[in-house]
Amino acid sequence: DQQVKQNSPSLSVQEGRISILNCDYTNSMFDYFLWYKKYPAEGPTFLISISSIKDKNEDGRFTVFLNKSAKHLSLHIVPSQPGDSAVYFCAAREGTSGSRLTFGEGTQLTVNP
Amino acid sequence: DTEVTQTPKHLVMGMTNKKSLKCEQHMGHRAMYWYKQKAKKPPELMFVYSYEKLSINESVPSRFSPECPNSSLLNLHLHALQPEDSALYLCASSQQTLGLNQPQHFGDGTRLSIL
């Protein structure tokens, strides 16, 4: 049972445009959500997170939106840059599980110059 | 640059070998994690240490043996591995496991190949 889903395996965007990466979840007990970026041959790098008590969190070019009623979150990157090309993982934590993160399958973002 | 350092970066071993993966962090984090990641798949949690005590073992086979000698170090001892254990092994750390909404920070991993 996949509790965190990223339905788009890949996304291609022009430089300067907005990239929108989506993530859906099924577990209503998830209370903390994170986005990680992963380049080949490197570990995942933490990008941005959001608590379930918020619906938006912004950090520079990155904004995460959370829609609890739809069990959906999205990551917006504006403007997109070629260096943003990477695999993006959505992850979620259930408060009672302490530290266990459940990851989505990832979305390969390609930003074309 | 990652603040979680893993060694070695690559490891090739036979099924009868014994080897260890090492992880170090100097961020004062009290929670450390081992993950396994297969190609084109998300990381899968293996073990969690909280304040140097094993708090989660995700039913990992005993051929993987974790050890946390102190709050900065985490080892993963490997013995009699199988070819299907070939994967990227990632270490991560966070401030603690409960209460705070704190992200886990990952190292670059050890690429393990079992012959």
Side-chain angles (χ1 to χ4, degrees):
Chain A
D1 177 30
Q2 200 173 346
Q3 297 187 66
V4 178
K5 296 180 184 178
Q6 294 176 254
N7 291 318
S8 297
S10 63
L11 175 68
S12 186
V13 172
Q14 283 300 115
E15 181 178 6
R17 298 289 189 99
I18 184 171
S19 295
I20 300 176
L21 297 108
N22 293 304
C23 179
D24 296 295
Y25 62 95
T26 57
N27 186 343
S28 57
M29 298 300 290
F30 286 146
D31 65 351
Y32 181 53
F33 303 87
L34 309 91
W35 284 96
Y36 285 87
K37 175 173 73 173
K38 187 178 186 303
Y39 294 119
E42 292 185 10
T45 301
F46 169 70
L47 271 179
I48 192 168
S49 63
I50 188 167
S51 164
S52 60
I53 62 173
K54 296 187 174 182
D55 54 20
K56 177 183 175 181
N57 189 25
E58 194 170 352
D59 184 1
R61 297 187 297 116
F62 302 93
T63 303
V64 55
F65 295 92
L66 176 62
N67 183 333
K68 286 188 293 293
S69 60
K71 292 190 177 67
H72 176 83
L73 68 156
S74 60
L75 174 67
H76 293 209
I77 306 174
V78 182
S80 301
Q81 300 172 353
D84 295 330
S85 298
V87 177
Y88 288 77
F89 288 101
C90 166
R93 185 202 71 185
E94 181 181 333
T96 56
S97 77
S99 53
R100 185 180 283 107
L101 290 182
T102 302
F103 285 84
E105 296 275 314
T107 296
Q108 172 70 57
L109 173 66
T110 302
V111 180
N112 301 302
Chain B
D1 286 343
T2 180
E3 296 180 80
V4 178
T5 303
Q6 290 187 243
T7 56
K9 290 192 184 302
H10 302 275
L11 179 62
V12 179
M13 58 187 286
M15 289 190 282
T16 58
N17 292 155
K18 285 185 182 180
K19 296 285 185 183
S20 296
L21 309 185
K22 297 186 182 301
C23 175
E24 189 169 3
Q25 58 87 14
H26 293 289
M27 296 180 280
H29 289 172
R30 301 313 301 270
M32 296 186 76
Y33 312 78
W34 280 116
Y35 286 84
K36 173 182 177 180
Q37 186 176 23
K38 301 284 269 186
K40 300 193 185 301
K41 290 292 185 183
E44 296 177 9
L45 183 65
M46 300 174 72
F47 302 105
V48 180
Y49 273 83
S50 178
Y51 292 88
E52 294 129 68
K53 293 192 188 311
L54 183 65
S55 62
I56 295 177
N57 176 343
E58 293 283 40
S59 302
V60 178
S62 60
R63 58 185 183 269
F64 295 91
S65 175
E67 178 197 20
C68 190
N70 60 55
S71 61
S72 300
L73 293 175
L74 186 66
N75 298 321
L76 186 62
H77 303 298
L78 315 172
H79 174 55
L81 296 194
Q82 303 297 311
E84 61 265 28
D85 296 323
S86 298
L88 180 68
Y89 288 84
L90 293 162
C91 173
S93 70
S94 66
Q95 283 197 356
Q96 60 185 58
T97 56
L98 293 174
L100 297 178
N101 286 337
Q102 292 293 329
Q104 295 177 21
H105 297 271
F106 286 81
D108 285 339
T110 294
R111 176 73 60 189
L112 177 65
S113 298
I114 306 301
L115 301 179

